[in-house]
Amino acid sequence: MKPSVYITRKLPEDVLVALREKYDVDMWEHEDIPVSSEVLKEKARTASALLSMLSDPINEELMESADSLKVVANLAVGFDNIDIKEATNRGIAVCNTPDVLTETTADLTFSLMLATARRIVEADQYVREGKWKSWSPLLLAGADIHHKTIGIVGMGSIGSAVARRAKGFNMDILYHNRSRKPEVEKELGATYKSFDDLIAQSDFIVCLAPLTPETKGMFQKEQFEKMKNSAIFINVGRGPIVNEQALYEALVSGDIAAAGLDVFEKEPIDETHPLLSLSNVVALPHIGSSSVETRKIMMKLCIDNIKAVLEGKAPKTLVNKDAFQNI
Ligand code: NAP
């Protein structure tokens, strides 16, 4: 009997050819409806591999009954939806898709900065709603991006790619990580700052950190109060890094000027979400890495990782490396 692979969202058939040749492939039939936890648990019970999405909780309860499961390949660089400790204890390899999505996500992050600062979404709506009756000196005037200061929280692969774009806009680049990155300091002239100094000194605060117990709730009322009143806050990392109620209040009270958000505490957000009532918010449905080219490359990487683990070889991008030194 061939090992079985369960894919938790409908993916294009052309990327699945190599997988179907060797394995018994089963796939959730919807592109835009997530698999229910019951179905996922049932499918995981007999699967050797899961190709999962960031919206699928791969938790202890699921792994408990997944006796044949050898690999979870997550279609994302973030893996906060997976209980890594539990997977490692059970000898399940967890793979993600770093690097291949870096430039695409950096493009989206920079688009969000531009769209928020220059009020692109509001301006588009203004034209469509027939409100454009004359040119006027301060019509939909926004904020400049060039020559401003960008502060990147999470200067990893994507953060560095955003910083390279910022350099082209003649921005001053500040960053904060737990560790310093001498190469970005040298290549881009980026300056390392404490978190408090970065949020106080930046015109654009861009969050590109992963969601971890340490980063959860990193941006609270106190942090927004420390920012400039003209600051623009951008989050492409993960929603729960930010207290959304505090962000909403900061935007309403004028503690900060605007926000561009690709990620939310709870996704998908409801159209009645308070942040969506504000014209100084640009909201996107978690599309950071969503270009056709990159998403197909991410799918292929997941498939290569699954094939490698099932063939007893080292996958290209393994998250729980310590537990799999001998693969
Ligand atoms: P990466 O290369 O691992 O970079 C993450 C950076 O965050 C590292 O430089 C790390 O530096 C820093 N970091 C980790 N914990 C931190 C903390 N407590 N405080 C400050 N900095 C911290 O990952 P990446 O590929 O750039 O991706 C980053 C994140 O972006 C992902 O984890 C994911 O959540 C998000 N993402 C979102 C989308 C989207 O569609 N919106 C797409 C791709 C990725 P230190 O270890 O030195 O602290």
Side-chain angles (χ1 to χ4, degrees):
M1 216 169 73
K2 290 182 192 169
S4 73
V5 179
Y6 186 65
I7 305 174
T8 67
R9 210 59 83 87
K10 186 170 169 29
L11 301 186
E13 275 305 322
D14 58 323
V15 296
L16 300 178
V17 176
L19 205 59
R20 288 202 188 278
E21 274 168 9
K22 294 193 86 171
Y23 305 106
D24 190 1
V25 178
D26 190 4
M27 181 161 71
W28 178 242
E29 62 267 37
H30 301 286
E31 224 173 277
D32 46 12
I33 303 173
V35 61
S36 67
S37 52
E38 293 75 30
V39 172
L40 178 56
K41 199 175 156 199
E42 182 53 30
K43 298 290 182 182
R45 223 170 44 76
T46 51
S48 300
L50 287 178
L51 197 166
S52 59
M53 310 296 128
L54 53 81
S55 47
D56 302 321
I58 311 292
N59 50 26
E60 186 180 351
E61 191 193 334
L62 178 139
M63 288 185 246
E64 229 161 40
S65 52
D67 293 336
S68 334
L69 193 58
K70 292 192 172 52
V71 50
V72 178
N74 210 38
L75 191 77
V77 62
F79 43 81
D80 44 275
N81 57 312
I82 303 173
D83 186 335
I84 301 294
K85 198 166 159 236
E86 189 62 29
T88 305
N89 287 343
R90 292 177 181 276
I92 299 168
V94 176
C95 302
N96 63 344
T97 61
D99 305 329
V100 295
L101 49 58
T102 294
E103 298 296 331
T104 300
T105 309
D107 283 349
L108 188 281
T109 308
F110 221 85
S111 314
L112 197 48
M113 280 171 59
L114 298 173
T116 309
R118 295 300 305 272
R119 304 172 62 183
I120 300 295
V121 178
E122 255 184 284
D124 177 83
Q125 277 164 0
Y126 186 85
V127 175
R128 285 171 198 269
E129 288 166 10
K131 291 182 181 162
W132 185 25
K133 300 298 179 203
S134 75
W135 184 90
S136 80
L138 284 174
L139 177 63
L140 287 155
D144 278 331
I145 297 104
H146 65 87
H147 296 95
K148 293 283 183 71
T149 298
I150 183 173
I152 299 173
V153 178
M155 183 69 108
S157 304
I158 303 168
S160 306
V162 168
R164 281 195 287 280
R165 286 156 177 74
K167 198 177 180 200
F169 278 67
N170 289 312
M171 298 182 90
D172 280 335
I173 304 164
L174 311 181
Y175 78 99
H176 177 74
N177 269 357
R178 291 166 305 176
S179 55
R180 285 180 75 149
K181 295 266 166 351
E183 63 287 1
V184 295
E185 294 184 21
K186 194 158 170 261
E187 182 200 337
L188 303 167
T191 306
Y192 183 81
K193 292 280 174 185
S194 69
F195 183 52
D196 281 355
D197 283 351
L198 180 144
I199 58 178
Q201 294 170 18
S202 302
D203 299 304
F204 292 84
I205 293 107
V206 179
C207 174
L208 276 163
L211 174 61
T212 64
E214 223 179 328
T215 61
K216 191 171 183 204
M218 206 173 180
F219 291 91
Q220 301 284 346
K221 181 177 166 49
E222 191 192 334
Q223 282 67 43
F224 291 117
E225 280 172 356
K226 282 184 182 154
M227 293 178 190
K228 296 180 185 180
N229 293 152
S230 56
I232 294 179
F233 177 72
I234 304 291
N235 189 10
V236 182
R238 282 288 183 269
I241 299 174
V242 179
N243 178 335
E244 272 171 11
Q245 183 61 30
L247 173 61
Y248 172 78
E249 284 164 17
L251 288 160
V252 170
S253 67
D255 277 340
I256 66 168
L261 307 167
D262 186 43
V263 288
F264 296 87
E265 271 183 66
K266 192 173 172 297
E267 298 177 2
I269 60 166
D270 193 85
E271 70 267 28
T272 60
H273 193 294
L275 281 168
L276 299 185
S277 67
L278 305 178
S279 59
N280 52 350
V281 167
V282 175
L284 304 179
H286 201 148
I287 54 167
S289 63
S290 188
S291 71
V292 175
E293 299 96 315
T294 293
R295 282 286 161 88
K296 286 207 170 178
I297 292 168
M298 289 164 66
M299 291 169 198
K300 183 162 181 320
L301 178 55
C302 286
I303 288 167
D304 289 348
N305 282 332
I306 288 174
K307 282 168 65 185
V309 175
L310 295 185
E311 286 164 17
K313 297 179 196 151
K316 285 184 191 157
T317 51
L318 180 65
V319 173
N320 46 356
K321 293 188 181 73
D322 296 347
F324 290 91
Q325 275 159 358
N326 299 327
I327 299 186

